[in-house]
Amino acid sequence: MSKAILITNGQHALNQTIATKLLEGGYRVMLHLETEEQSKRYIESLPAESVAQLYLSCVELANEQSYVQVVDDALLVMGSLDVIIHGNELLEEEKLLIESPDELGGAVSTVFDRIFLWNKAAVSYMMKRKSGKVLFPIVYDTLYYDQYPSSPILNHGKISLMKSLSRECSAFRIDVNVMTFGYHDADFDKAEKKEKQRMLEIYGLKPVLKPLSEMVGMLNFLIDAPSSLIGGQNIEIGIGVETNM
């Protein structure tokens, strides 16, 4: 049977792109979104054959029990939970720092509170059965200077969290990793793409801009990797982007 995957923050386009790619790969996916309207729009964007493997949750995350409820629902409809993917929040930290500096600390703290509660609910199940994978997809924060979304505080916090969580979970055969996506084609038109390639030549000669929908397919590498072989790693996906996070 195909692996069962829970993806959080399904209201963001990046995480929907990940869900769609995994559905195309034959995985069973539960996507947690904020509203029923978001769920409806996402379903309408999918081919009929993908919907059969998709499960949606709009449970309001009001307290710790609500996170447990989503995980329990995932176990009920999918029969297991092999992977939890902490969907990217796409928090524009510099914009928040400039416009509402007093809110930045609280926004970052809220994100990590939610990650903690997701992990507490999902990893406790994985520990009992002694298998599972926890993944954090992030976007390389240096790309902020090339007008890509950037969340350096969250990125480096997630990498630190991943490393410490990996140490704690490895004994239970749970692999915890980060996958960092480098420069990519964010639906640029021809002129934008040419200008973006010029700006990105610090990374390589005539940088190849792959669609993000193609790049997120590399998550399969970690999802399908044999248990206890890859853990505590930040794997960067991007031609010419140096690994320095």
Side-chain angles (χ1 to χ4, degrees), residues 1 7 56 88 130 234:
M1 185 176 288
I7 303 175
L56 298 174
N88 198 290
K130 291 186 168 57
N234 173 26

Side-chain angles (χ1 to χ4, degrees), residues 205-224:
L205 181 62
K206 294 184 178 180
V208 178
L209 299 184
K210 294 285 188 179
L212 191 58
S213 58
E214 185 175 328
M215 294 175 70
V216 297
M218 287 301 297
L219 285 166
N220 296 15
F221 171 71
L222 292 176
I223 291 171
D224 291 328

